[in-house]
Amino acid sequence: MSDTSRILCPVLSKRLMSAEEAAEMIPAGAKVGMSGFTGAGYPKAVPGALAERIRYLNAQPNAKPFRISVWTGASTAPELDGVLAEVDGIEMRLPFQSDPICRSRINNGTMDYVDYHLSEVSQYAWSGFLGKMDIALIEVAGIREDGSLIPSSSIGNNKTWIEQADKIIIEVNSKQNAKLEGMHDIYYGTALPPNRKPIMLTDPADRIGEQYLACPPEKVIAVVETAAADRNSPFKPSDDVSKKIAGHILDFFNKEIELGRLPKELLPIQSGVGNIPNAVLEGLDSGPYKGLTAFTEVIQDGMLKMLKSGTLKVASATAFSLSPAGIEEFDENIDFYRDKIILRQQDISNHPELARRLGVIAMNGLIECDLYGNVNSTHIMGTRMMNGIGGSGDFARNGYLSIFVSPSTAKDGAISSIVPMVSHVDHTEHDVKIIVTEQGLADLRGLSPRQRAHEIINNCAHPDFRPALIDYYERALHSGRGMHTPHLLEEALSWHQRYEETGQM
Ligand code: COA
C-alpha cells in the first residue's frame, strides 16, 4: 500500500517503482553500497528481488555467473545477506557480516570477504582503492520536499555511499517510526588527508552535523516503498555465566571509582552486541550509577532500560539493535527517547580521535585470548571466519579501557577460551587492558608479559584447563629460549590442532 506522505519530493515521487523493476537496474558485477547495520536500516525488498533475478538468470543454459559486490555498514539480515548468499550472488562482501549462509560461503571459498575496522571503511571508499561504487541502495524513513533523506534505524556508511555512487536506489520504509526524524546527526566535515580538521565533539551529547542525508535527486534512479520491520533478534535472558562476568566488571568499576581512577559517572561506555554485553548493561542498571553516557556503535535493549531509569543520560551510536520487545518499547515511548539518543555515521560513531578524546570504556567479546593478552575475536581455529572485527578494534585501541569478555570455555567445555597462543590476532597485547570470564577478571595494565600470564591463568582460565596452561607456561619459561614472552613454538598451536583432530582441546 502506498504511503505517499513519506515521499514529499515531487521529482522523486515520479521514480516510484516495484522492487523487481528497481532490481533490474543493478547489473552483473556491480559494486553496490547498501544501508544496514546490525540488522537495522537495511533495504528489505530490492535485495530479495535481485536474488530472484540472479537465481533465474544463473539457471539459464550457458549463463555467465551473475554476482555483485555488497558493501554495507555492518551485518544485515536474512532478507539481504541471506538471500543473496543463498543464490551465490555475492562475489565480494565487506566490511562485516554475521549471516550463517555468508559465513559458510566465506569459509568454503565461494565468497571473498574483506573484514575492516568499521571506522575506516568510508575513508577507504573515498581513497579509491576499493574501486568505483556503482549503485547505492539505501533504506530511509522518508524523503523531504527538497529531496534530502530522513535516515531510518541506522546510518552506517549511508552518507559515503550516497556521495560515492553515481546511481541511487531508495527504499522508503513506512514501518520505520516517523518520529526517528531529528534523531540523526550527519557530519559533513570529513575529508581525506592532508585536508582533515579536528572533529569538534567533546561530549557524547554533542550535535555537530545535519539531521538529514543530502542526496542529489538527479542521481536517484528508483524509489521503492516498503513496510517491513528490522531483523530485531531476541536476546537470551542473562544466564549464570553472563551474570558472573557482569558482576566482575561491576566490582572492577567500583574499585576504580574508590581509587579515584574513574569518575562516579564512569566514562562513556561502548558495549558490543551480544548477550554478555547486554547482561553487563543490566548489571550497571541495577547498580548505584546515575547519569552515565554511552559513545558506542549500537543501542541495544539494555541501553533503553538504562535511559528509562536515568542510569544513562545520553547514548550516541550509529544504529539500533533491539529485540522485538525492545522495538515495541522504543516505538511506544519514542518521545521520551528522542532527545537522549543520537545516531551518527559510523566513521564518527567509531572515530579513533573521538574514542581517545572521550576516554571510552570499550567492552567487547572475544573468541580466544592467549597467556600474554593477545585476543582473537574473529577466527575459529585460526582459519574459519566467525563474523569480523567490527568496531571492536576502533574502540579497543583508542578507548581509555579496553575490556574483553567471554565464557572461559566453549562447546560444552571442549574448548578453552584461554590458549597458549591465539590462532589469529585481532587485538594485540598492547591494546588489551582487561580480560573477564565467569572465573574472574585479569587486569593487565602495567604488567609485563610474564606477569600477565599469571594474572590470566589464575583469574580467567577454567579450572579444567588451568594445570595444562601452567604446565605449558613453566616448560616454555625453562626452555632456554626468550624469557620475555615464553613460548614453545612447536607446541604453541597444538591445542587447536588437537581440537581439530579429536573435538577436544
Ligand atoms: N572456539 C570455537 N568456537 C568458539 C570459541 C572458540 N574459542 N569461542 C566461542 N565460540 C563459538 C561459540 O560456541 C558460539 O557458537 P554457536 O553460535 O555455534 O553456539 C559462538 O562462537 C559465539 O560465542 P558466544 O560465547 O555466544 O559469544 P558472543 O555471541 O558474544 O560472540 C564473538 C563472541 C567474539 C564472536 C562476537 O563478540 C564478535 O563477533 N566479536 C567481533 C565483533 C565485535 O566485537 N563487535 C562489536 C564491536 S562494537
Side-chain angles (χ1 to χ4, degrees):
M1 195 173 51
S2 182
D3 179 1
T4 44
S5 61
R6 297 265 183 151
I7 306 170
L8 299 180
C9 174
V11 180
L12 295 191
S13 64
K14 293 203 182 81
R15 301 200 186 132
L16 253 179
M17 62 184 79
S18 69
E20 290 69 26
E21 287 169 315
E24 291 274 343
M25 296 179 170
I26 302 177
K31 292 184 172 70
V32 187
M34 302 201 193
S35 60
F37 201 108
T38 48
Y42 55 92
K44 315 274 189 304
V46 177
L50 179 63
E52 276 317 307
R53 180 161 163 249
I54 292 175
R55 190 196 302 278
Y56 171 79
L57 291 174
N58 283 350
Q60 301 310 303
N62 305 320
K64 245 179 92 188
F66 188 129
R67 304 175 87 203
I68 61 165
S69 292
V70 177
W71 307 356
T72 59
S75 53
T76 64
E79 303 100 294
L80 193 167
D81 273 318
V83 289
L84 286 170
E86 208 244 311
V87 297
D88 196 11
I90 306 180
E91 187 176 352
M92 157 69 85
R93 181 77 177 86
L94 67 84
F96 185 84
Q97 61 72 47
S98 62
D99 180 81
I101 310 175
C102 271
R103 186 181 298 137
S104 80
R105 284 207 176 274
I106 291 164
N107 290 325
N108 72 19
T110 54
M111 186 190 297
D112 281 317
Y113 179 47
V114 188
D115 169 25
Y116 278 135
H117 293 302
L118 296 185
S119 71
E120 283 187 320
V121 183
S122 70
Q123 78 164 2
Y124 289 162
W126 274 107
S127 75
F129 74 80
L130 294 172
K132 178 87 187 86
M133 171 172 290
D134 299 292
I135 297 184
L137 170 55
I138 309 290
E139 179 188 275
V140 300
I143 304 179
R144 299 170 77 231
E145 266 177 46
D146 62 359
S148 60
L149 308 174
I150 304 166
S152 72
S153 49
S154 71
I155 298 184
N157 282 315
N158 295 354
K159 168 184 170 284
T160 300
W161 296 169
I162 289 168
E163 289 166 335
Q164 286 280 305
D166 293 332
K167 297 176 178 170
I168 300 166
I169 299 174
I170 298 174
E171 284 196 7
V172 182
N173 186 354
S174 58
K175 194 88 179 177
Q176 294 285 5
N177 198 317
K179 289 189 176 174
L180 283 168
E181 181 169 0
M183 294 182 69
H184 311 94
D185 187 64
I186 299 164
Y187 180 62
Y188 281 89
T190 57
L192 284 178
N195 300 314
R196 286 199 173 135
K197 299 277 186 291
I199 298 169
M200 302 307 279
L201 187 150
T202 57
D203 186 293
D206 285 349
R207 288 185 165 273
I208 56 171
E210 314 291 324
Q211 294 180 10
Y212 306 106
L213 283 160
C215 177
E218 63 279 8
K219 289 215 272 185
V220 178
I221 55 170
V223 178
V224 175
E225 286 179 307
T226 65
D230 279 332
R231 182 184 71 193
N232 302 330
S233 313
F235 283 106
K236 286 188 227 154
S238 298
D239 60 7
D240 196 38
V241 165
S242 45
K243 280 187 188 148
K244 279 188 179 148
I245 291 174
H248 298 314
I249 295 179
L250 295 180
D251 290 347
F252 169 77
F253 285 158
N254 291 338
K255 205 172 101 210
E256 290 295 297
I257 294 171
E258 236 173 78
L259 293 170
R261 297 197 292 226
L262 278 179
K264 67 180 188 338
E265 303 79 21
L266 302 176
L267 287 165
I269 295 163
Q270 177 264 329
S271 167
V273 281
N275 298 308
I276 296 174
N278 210 51
V280 175
L281 297 180
E282 277 178 16
L284 278 172
D285 206 20
S286 59
Y289 307 100
K290 284 281 165 248
L292 310 190
T293 60
F295 192 77
T296 189
E297 228 178 60
V298 295
I299 308 282
Q300 59 266 64
D301 289 26
M303 286 204 178
L304 291 189
K305 288 189 191 138
M306 288 168 81
L307 285 166
K308 208 59 184 287
S309 66
T311 303
L312 195 63
K313 64 177 182 192
V314 71
S316 158
T318 192
F320 287 97
S321 181
L322 299 173
S323 72
I327 193 77
E328 207 179 302
E329 159 64 25
F330 176 70
D331 275 340
E332 278 172 16
N333 298 291
I334 192 163
D335 289 326
F336 171 81
Y337 292 113
R338 273 173 59 84
D339 61 347
K340 299 173 185 68
I341 295 175
I342 303 166
L343 295 183
R344 313 178 190 275
Q345 72 246 44
Q346 71 193 65
D347 45 316
I348 298 297
S349 66
N350 289 28
H351 202 293
E353 174 191 335
L354 303 179
R356 181 63 61 93
R357 177 180 300 142
L358 297 173
V360 163
I361 299 176
M363 295 186 276
N364 292 292
L366 62 81
I367 286 174
E368 57 182 14
C369 165
D370 72 20
L371 298 182
Y372 304 109
N374 297 289
V375 161
N376 167 13
S377 51
T378 57
H379 282 65
I380 302 295
M381 302 296 146
T383 61
R384 294 187 291 279
M385 172 54 65
M386 183 71 188
N387 301 321
I389 193 165
S392 56
D394 295 324
F395 293 104
R397 172 157 290 180
N398 303 297
Y400 187 71
L401 280 178
S402 58
I403 303 176
F404 282 92
V405 298
S406 172
S408 65
T409 61
K411 304 295 173 209
D412 294 327
I415 293 173
S416 173
S417 309
I418 311 296
V419 289
M421 182 186 265
V422 282
S423 58
H424 175 93
V425 190
D426 293 291
H427 309 288
T428 74
E429 55 173 330
H430 314 285
D431 299 331
V432 177
K433 306 294 187 301
I434 317 278
I435 301 287
V436 196
T437 69
E438 79 289 354
Q439 301 294 324
L441 180 146
D443 182 352
L444 309 180
R445 295 174 300 168
L447 302 187
S448 70
R450 282 184 281 143
Q451 292 170 325
R452 276 183 243 146
H454 286 286
E455 182 85 1
I456 292 173
I457 296 172
N458 293 332
N459 294 358
C460 297
H462 191 279
D464 289 353
F465 290 100
R466 217 172 271 162
L469 287 166
I470 294 171
D471 173 58
Y472 173 89
Y473 174 73
E474 290 294 333
R475 285 185 297 116
L477 195 62
H478 299 109
S479 66
R481 295 182 222 179
M483 300 272 282
H484 180 66
T485 307
H487 265 303
L488 299 168
L489 293 183
E490 63 284 7
E491 232 182 86
L493 296 173
S494 63
W495 291 38
H496 301 84
Q497 192 163 348
R498 194 159 50 243
Y499 176 76
E500 295 283 44
E501 286 165 8
T502 67
Q504 174 74 42
M505 270 187 174

